Structure formats: C-alpha cells, structure tokens
C-alpha cells in the first residue's frame, strides 16, 4: 500500500488516552471548532461490517473467529475514509490510534505524516471512576471494574511506547485531562492554535 499523494499535506493528529480519558468528548469539541474530520477505527470497522460489502463480510468472518483485523486492512480503511473527506476537511483526528508503535509507524509510511499526538493524560483512578459512572447508563459490558483494570493495563503497556516515540520527535502534546470538559478543551486549543 503506497501513501496517497494528496494526504501528504493533510493535517493528521493522533488522539490517544486511556479508556475514560475524555478523547471522544474532546474530539467532538475539536470537530465543532476547527472543522476536523473525526475518524475512529472502531467506527470504521462497524460501518464496513454493516455495509454488507465484500470487505465487511471478510471482517465479520475475522472477528467471529476472535482474530484481530489485519493492520493492512485497518490502514486501508483509514486511508479510504481520509481520501473521501480530503476536499472538505481541515484535518483529521485519528481517535484511539495507534494502539501500539508499529501501527503509528505504518500509518506514517503508508497513509500520511502525523502533525502531532494529543495525549489525554488522566490517572487510573479518574478513568476508572468515569467508566463506572458511564456504566450506570451505557449498558456496555466492558464498563465493569475487573475489565476496566485489564483495559488500563493493556493501554499502558502498548501505548506508552507510542507516546515516548512521538515525544522524542517533539510531536507528543500531553494534556492533563483531570478537570472539567471546558478546562480540558482550553488546553487542547492552546496546542491546536500553535
């Protein structure tokens, strides 16, 4: 898979943070203020499966076996979604991605360079409290204390190398995300307005 030339100049931002760090809420605010396109790999996968396309059928078979979707497929879906929105978007928020370092490197080689990484830094205690609060109304099976602990451990083990790698390139912007939605968004704006 070769990079798409038009994407070489697109503003791409990786948005990382643990479960319950507020990524989704802040992405909504960024889209509203800056005109970015918000792309979540999970949403793209679900939409592809729902479409009934050949690729969607392949994805269904992979996920029904409990296997991970191949990175090449995820990258192709991201690239296709970006190309489709390139003419109208002021930039792309790649939400919850990369989950591990190889994914980030492959994205930059095969899709587009990354301008910066927004890392929503939140204590495990705060993320757990937020997820347990969400569990009261979400109906999500993964919003329980035991699963939350596993999700946090996985996040730290896989994503810390991503944060460190992009920090070494001067691209990681850590945002202390413990305050109110408005306080956190003020910090996001400081980064994006640079």
């Amino acid at each position: 898979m070769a990079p798409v030339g038009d994407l070489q100049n697109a503003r791409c931002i990786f948005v990382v943070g643990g479960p319950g760090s507020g990524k989704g809420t802040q992405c909504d605010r960024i889209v509203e203020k800056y005109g970015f396109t918000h792309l979540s790999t999970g949403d793209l996968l679900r939409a592809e499966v729902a479409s009934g396309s050949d690729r969607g059928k392949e994805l269904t078979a992979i996920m029904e076996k409990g296997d991970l979707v191949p990175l090449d497929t995820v990258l192709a879906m991201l690239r296709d979604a970006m190309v489709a929105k390139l003419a109208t978007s002021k930039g792309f928020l790649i939400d919850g991605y990369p989950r591990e370092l190889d994914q980030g490197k492959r994205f930059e080689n095969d899709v587009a360079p990354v301008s910066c990484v927004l890392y929503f830094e939140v204590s495990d205690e705060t993320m757990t409290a937020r997820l347990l609060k969400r569990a009261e109304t979400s109906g999500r099976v993964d919003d329980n204390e035991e699963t939350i602990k596993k999700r946090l451990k996985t996040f730290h083990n896989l994503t810390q190398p991503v944060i460190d790698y992009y920090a070494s390139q001067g691209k990681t912007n850590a945002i202390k995300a413990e305050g109110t939605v408005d306080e956190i968004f003020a910090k996001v704006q400081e980064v994006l307005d640079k």
Side-chain angles (χ1 to χ4, degrees):
M1 180 166 58
V4 176
D6 290 347
L7 289 176
Q8 292 304 306
N9 298 318
R11 190 169 182 197
C12 295
I13 298 174
F14 286 153
V15 182
V16 297
S21 63
K23 295 185 307 290
T25 301
Q26 293 301 319
C27 283
D28 290 346
R29 290 279 187 96
I30 295 167
V31 167
E32 187 180 313
K33 176 162 184 177
Y34 294 95
F36 279 54
T37 298
H38 179 203
L39 298 173
S40 155
T41 54
D43 290 347
L44 290 172
L45 288 167
R46 284 185 286 277
E48 190 71 37
V49 166
S51 77
S53 69
D54 287 343
R55 183 161 62 183
K57 289 173 186 158
E58 289 172 27
L59 292 172
T60 300
I62 290 167
M63 292 186 289
E64 282 176 351
K65 285 192 273 182
D67 293 337
L68 292 175
V69 174
L71 182 53
D72 287 341
T73 303
V74 174
L75 288 171
M77 292 174 63
L78 277 169
R79 188 185 62 207
D80 292 350
M82 292 170 71
V83 168
K85 300 277 188 182
L86 192 57
T88 57
S89 182
K90 295 185 177 165
F92 297 94
L93 299 173
I94 315 298
D95 181 3
Y97 187 91
R99 292 186 187 269
E100 55 191 7
L101 188 52
D102 186 49
Q103 293 176 345
K105 290 178 176 181
R106 288 281 309 279
F107 180 94
E108 290 201 273
N109 284 333
D110 297 352
V111 181
V114 172
S115 308
C116 75
V117 175
L118 290 179
Y119 167 42
F120 291 96
E121 194 172 12
V122 183
S123 72
D124 286 2
E125 294 76 24
T126 298
M127 287 188 282
T128 300
R130 287 177 181 172
L131 292 170
L132 291 174
K133 179 77 176 150
R134 181 175 81 182
E136 294 171 11
T137 57
S138 72
R140 286 182 51 162
V141 296
D142 57 350
D143 283 349
N144 65 72
E145 204 143 359
E146 189 177 324
T147 304
I148 290 167
K149 281 182 186 166
K150 289 177 186 169
R151 290 170 65 200
L152 289 170
K153 185 174 194 266
T154 299
F155 165 74
H156 290 303
N157 289 344
L158 294 179
T159 309
Q160 193 60 51
V162 172
I163 295 161
D164 295 344
Y165 173 76
Y166 286 103
S168 74
Q169 296 182 4
K171 291 183 178 182
T172 296
N173 294 276
I175 294 171
K176 298 279 184 204
E178 297 277 350
T180 67
V181 171
D182 289 337
E183 289 167 346
I184 297 163
F185 189 59
K187 295 173 191 175
V188 169
Q189 291 176 92
E190 286 175 25
V191 171
L192 295 182
D193 288 346
K194 281 183 196 172

